[in-house]
Amino acid sequence: MRKKIVAGNWKMNMTLADGEALVEEIMNKSPELDDNKQVIFCTPFTHLMLIDDTITELSKPNFFLGAQNCNNNTSGAYTGEISISMLEEVGVDSVIIGHSERRQYYAESNEFLKSKVDALVENDLQVIFCCGESLEIREANTQNEFVAKQLEESLFHLDAAQMLNNVVIAYEPIWAIGTGKTATTAQAQEMHSYIRSLIAIKYNNEIAQEISILYGGSCNATNAKELFACEDVDGGLIGGAALKADTFLPIIEAMF
Ligand code: PGA
């Protein structure tokens, strides 16, 4: 049975003290997560060590630590960058790769993202691979081809075991991120089922059925239950609503 996952992407928000208090409140109030459910806190780099300590201290199963980016090289002269071994040292389990903000503001191409995917898989970390189309592409009704190309060029070179063990996909239509404009359940289900069909064609149906596909883009306390009830939606990658316990806890509860 594939896992349900709720990952909070804090982006460039939150003081250390607020972040620590947030994780404490969420973990204390959250229902117990069985092994088919995960909550991942994807914090800024500077918060990782502290939040790892907090998660460890509270010691509730199936809460994990995530980063929002990594470098594709092992080490060396890359001023301002953070390596995967550095992330592992502070307890990171998962890394978001290919978020549309990084594709857009830092010109991260499919080919470049492929090298990050490879480096993460080599180190056996979980990749939360983001894909999704702009409004322009949606309006031209070419979103399927666009998303297929993102997956083809950055992810589908992995072998079956790597896909199964290391990959979670997050479908995030860019027009829904931070805009308050959520994809309808029909739009989300349609794309998620399309992505699953691509995995089935590339690998096989068993693998397609095992990989969690999260929805992201203005997912919130009100719409999470309905979105997660879609057959092929296995949870969410949450931005704005991940910054407060009042809005994040109902999203965690929507996995049940
Ligand atoms: P949002 O962001 O929930 O604020 O729309 C989602 C994301 O960017 O991952």
Side-chain angles (χ1 to χ4, degrees):
M1 199 172 111
R2 60 181 180 259
K3 285 187 168 54
K4 292 235 186 237
I5 300 172
V6 167
N9 175 11
W10 293 4
K11 308 193 179 183
M12 199 169 71
N13 295 298
M14 208 63 93
T15 64
L16 280 174
D18 288 349
E20 187 181 26
L22 178 69
V23 169
E24 273 173 7
E25 185 177 355
I26 289 167
M27 286 184 65
N28 284 328
K29 292 186 180 166
S30 164
E32 297 282 335
L33 304 174
D34 59 52
D35 289 346
N36 282 321
K37 297 183 184 67
Q38 292 189 350
V39 170
I40 309 170
F41 299 104
C42 301
T43 82
F45 288 136
T46 48
H47 298 38
L48 290 169
M49 221 164 132
L50 175 69
I51 300 304
D52 185 53
D53 285 348
T54 312
I55 294 172
T56 308
E57 265 162 39
L58 293 174
S59 150
K60 275 178 98 169
N62 300 313
F63 285 86
F64 296 97
L65 182 66
Q68 301 168 18
N69 184 27
C70 66
N71 190 273
N72 55 334
N73 296 288
T74 313
S75 64
Y78 301 99
T79 302
E81 290 295 293
I82 305 283
S83 74
I84 293 169
S85 60
M86 290 168 185
L87 296 178
E88 285 189 294
E89 247 190 311
V90 293
V92 165
D93 309 290
S94 305
V95 181
I96 299 173
I97 289 296
H99 191 281
S100 61
E101 286 151 18
R102 294 214 58 89
R103 292 175 186 267
Q104 187 182 346
Y105 304 139
Y106 305 100
E108 296 195 355
S109 66
N110 289 346
E111 193 190 351
F112 181 52
L113 294 169
K114 177 180 183 222
S115 68
K116 295 194 187 196
V117 166
D118 283 338
L120 284 164
V121 168
E122 220 166 274
N123 287 277
D124 205 21
L125 289 194
Q126 175 166 274
V127 180
I128 303 176
F129 183 82
C130 303
C131 56
E133 80 288 353
S134 65
L135 185 59
E136 205 183 359
I137 291 168
R138 170 66 60 170
E139 282 173 347
N141 199 28
T142 52
Q143 64 273 12
N144 285 7
E145 294 86 330
F146 184 83
V147 168
K149 190 165 155 52
Q150 289 180 321
L151 298 173
E152 195 63 54
E153 294 185 354
S154 304
L155 208 55
F156 282 176
H157 62 287
L158 295 177
D159 67 31
Q162 292 168 328
M163 277 298 279
L164 259 186
N165 297 329
N166 299 94
V167 174
V168 169
I169 294 172
Y171 168 60
E172 299 205 302
I174 299 169
W175 45 271
I177 296 178
T179 57
K181 198 172 180 238
T182 323
T184 62
T185 48
Q187 285 170 323
Q189 170 55 27
E190 196 180 3
M191 179 58 85
H192 283 230
S193 130
Y194 174 65
I195 292 171
R196 210 177 295 288
S197 75
L198 293 175
I199 303 169
I201 293 165
K202 187 77 199 178
Y203 298 89
N204 61 49
N205 194 43
E206 272 124 63
I207 291 176
Q209 290 305 325
E210 281 300 310
I211 292 187
S212 300
I213 307 178
L214 317 184
Y215 169 79
S218 298
C219 180
N220 58 37
T222 313
N223 59 28
K225 189 96 201 166
E226 198 187 359
L227 282 160
F228 297 178
C230 296
E231 194 185 335
D232 288 296
V233 178
D234 307 309
L237 180 55
I238 317 298
L243 301 175
K244 287 200 179 115
D246 286 357
T247 49
F248 198 58
L249 278 163
I251 301 177
I252 295 176
E253 281 154 15
M255 286 194 287
F256 288 81

